Amino acid sequence: MESKVSEGGLNVTLTIRLLMHGKEVGSIIGKKGETVKKMREESGARINISEGNCPERIVTITGPTDAIFKAFAMIAYKFEEDINNSMSNSTATSKPPVTLRLVVPASQCGSLIGKGGSKIKEIRESTGAQVQVAGDMLPNSTERAVTISGTPDAIIQCVKQICVVMLEVQSVTKGSPPKGATIPYRPKPASTPVIFAGGQAYTIQGQYAIPHPDLTKLHQLAMQQTPFTPLGQTTPAFPGLDASPPASTHELTIPNDLIGCIIGRQGTKINEIRQMSGAQIKIANATEGSSERQITITGTPANISLAQYLINARLTSEVTGMGAL
C-alpha cells in the first residue's frame, strides 16, 4: 500500500466512524430514508447507522477513499443546510461552524497528533478547520472522539488528511491495528427520563415532552391506589396479575450532586417513589473518593421499571430546572 493518497487515486477500502446526536442522524436519514439512500447512491459508499434508542448513534461509512470523501461532503453540506435553515428562524447573527465528530482508535491518535502536536497543527493550518482530539477515551472503548469544525470545504479537506494518516498507520502495521485490538465505542441506550403531569406521562426527547400512553396507564393505575398499593400486587385494579411475581434487583449509579433531588427533604421524595413503585430502594452511603452513589432497586419487573421512571423524572426535573415534581 502506498503511503501517499493522490485524490481519488488510491482504491483502498477504508472505514470511518462518526458519532452523531439523534437530531443529526434524523437529518442524515431524511423523510422515509430518502436522504441517506441518495447519499449511498451518489457517493458509492456504504453508510450504516447504529440502532436507534440511544442519545448518540454511530454512523459507519465504508468504501474506497473517493467514495468516503463524497459521502463526507454530502453530510457536511447537509449539516450546513440545517444550520442555514435554523439561522433563518433565529435572531443569532454569527453562523456556527459545521461540526462532525469522528471516532478514531486511540492507537492511531498519536500519528494524528504528531510529534509535539506537529501533525494536527499542520492539518489545522492547511485546511482551515478546527481539529481537536479528546484527551479521554470514549466509555468502555479504546477509541477517542476527534471533533472537526469549520466550513464544509475545510471539513472535507481535513477528513482527506485524516484518512491519509490512518492509511499510513495501516500500511506500516500491514493492516493489523497497532498495540492490540481496538475495542469499538458503542453508545448506551438512554433510559428515557419521564415526567408525570396532569395524570399524563411524558418522555423527554431532546427539548420536547412526548406523551407516553403506556406509562400514563401505569401512572394512573398507581395513582388509583389510596393509600398507594405497590404495583404488581393483586388488587381489584390489577386483575389477572400474579400475586407474587419473581423479585429481581437492578442497580443504578447517580452522581453525588444529584442524589439530594431523589432523596428529597427528610427523605420525602424517595419515600414517595418507594410507595408509588412498590419497590424496595436502597441508597448506598457515600464512599470516599467516589463522585457517585449506588442505588439498588428490588422488586418485580413492573416495580423496578416504575421506580426507574420515577427516579429519572426527578433527575430530569432537576437537570432541566423544571422544579419539584
Side-chain angles (χ1 to χ4, degrees):
M1 194 187 294
E2 299 166 42
S3 60
K4 283 207 179 318
V5 181
S6 57
E7 187 170 329
L10 190 65
N11 206 23
V12 176
T13 299
L14 196 59
T15 296
I16 302 276
R17 295 165 75 233
L18 284 166
L19 191 53
M20 290 191 192
H21 295 302
K23 197 175 172 186
E24 295 170 323
V25 170
S27 168
I28 296 300
I29 294 172
K31 272 194 185 136
K32 297 183 182 168
E34 295 283 329
T35 310
V36 75
K37 183 169 176 255
K38 189 177 170 205
M39 285 179 177
R40 285 177 180 134
E41 286 168 0
E42 290 189 15
S43 69
R46 284 211 313 272
I47 303 174
N48 289 328
I49 297 165
S50 69
E51 284 305 306
N53 59 342
C54 304
E56 291 183 317
R57 312 266 289 274
I58 296 279
V59 177
T60 307
I61 305 173
T62 306
T65 46
D66 54 347
I68 283 181
F69 300 151
K70 278 183 198 157
F72 258 97
M74 294 176 82
I75 290 171
Y77 282 116
K78 180 73 182 84
F79 283 178
E80 184 174 57
E81 189 188 308
D82 295 343
I83 289 169
N84 289 338
N85 291 341
S86 67
M87 289 286 292
S88 62
N89 304 326
S90 91
T91 53
T93 48
S94 60
K95 183 175 162 184
V98 174
T99 300
L100 294 178
R101 286 182 299 161
L102 306 188
V103 180
V104 177
S107 56
Q108 295 183 1
C109 286
S111 307
L112 187 56
I113 293 165
K115 205 168 191 176
S118 57
K119 188 71 195 171
I120 202 161
K121 184 167 179 266
E122 181 194 311
I123 293 174
R124 283 180 189 134
E125 286 172 359
S126 63
T127 64
Q130 275 301 316
V131 190
Q132 283 174 323
V133 178
D136 295 328
M137 292 194 215
L138 288 157
N140 307 318
S141 78
T142 57
E143 296 193 301
R144 292 187 188 185
V146 176
T147 306
I148 308 171
S149 56
T151 64
D153 292 336
I155 283 175
I156 296 156
Q157 291 308 317
C158 186
V159 167
K160 285 183 180 178
Q161 296 217 20
I162 289 172
C163 286
V164 172
V165 173
M166 289 167 92
L167 285 168
E168 283 172 351
V169 172
Q170 284 179 18
S171 66
V172 169
T173 55
K174 304 220 167 18
S176 65
K179 297 176 197 155
T182 296
I183 303 166
Y185 172 59
R186 290 192 174 86
K188 274 198 171 150
S191 43
T192 315
V194 174
I195 282 184
F196 297 109
Q200 289 279 325
Y202 298 87
T203 54
I204 306 301
Q205 292 179 11
Q207 301 166 340
Y208 304 101
I210 316 288
H212 198 305
D214 299 344
L215 292 178
T216 299
K217 278 183 213 146
L218 255 180
H219 178 55
Q220 287 167 347
L221 284 171
M223 294 303 280
Q224 281 170 16
Q225 315 307 313
T226 42
F228 290 126
T229 307
L231 270 182
Q233 292 188 2
T234 306
T235 69
F238 293 84
L241 273 182
D242 187 341
S244 55
S248 55
T249 298
H250 184 82
E251 292 189 337
L252 295 170
T253 48
I254 304 286
N256 279 342
D257 52 356
L258 290 175
I259 202 81
C261 75
I262 290 165
I263 297 171
R265 192 171 287 170
Q266 295 179 329
T268 50
K269 291 297 172 193
I270 194 73
N271 286 338
E272 207 175 276
I273 294 171
R274 284 183 182 122
Q275 285 184 315
M276 271 191 77
S277 66
Q280 287 182 327
I281 305 170
K282 287 185 183 146
I283 299 176
N285 292 330
T287 51
E288 207 173 321
S290 169
S291 62
E292 295 182 321
R293 298 272 284 277
Q294 191 88 15
I295 296 183
T296 308
I297 308 169
T298 310
T300 64
N303 299 151
I304 289 173
S305 64
L306 189 54
Q308 277 182 276
Y309 284 129
L310 294 168
I311 287 169
N312 277 325
R314 291 291 315 143
L315 289 174
T316 304
S317 68
E318 183 73 10
V319 173
T320 57
M322 294 181 76
L325 278 181

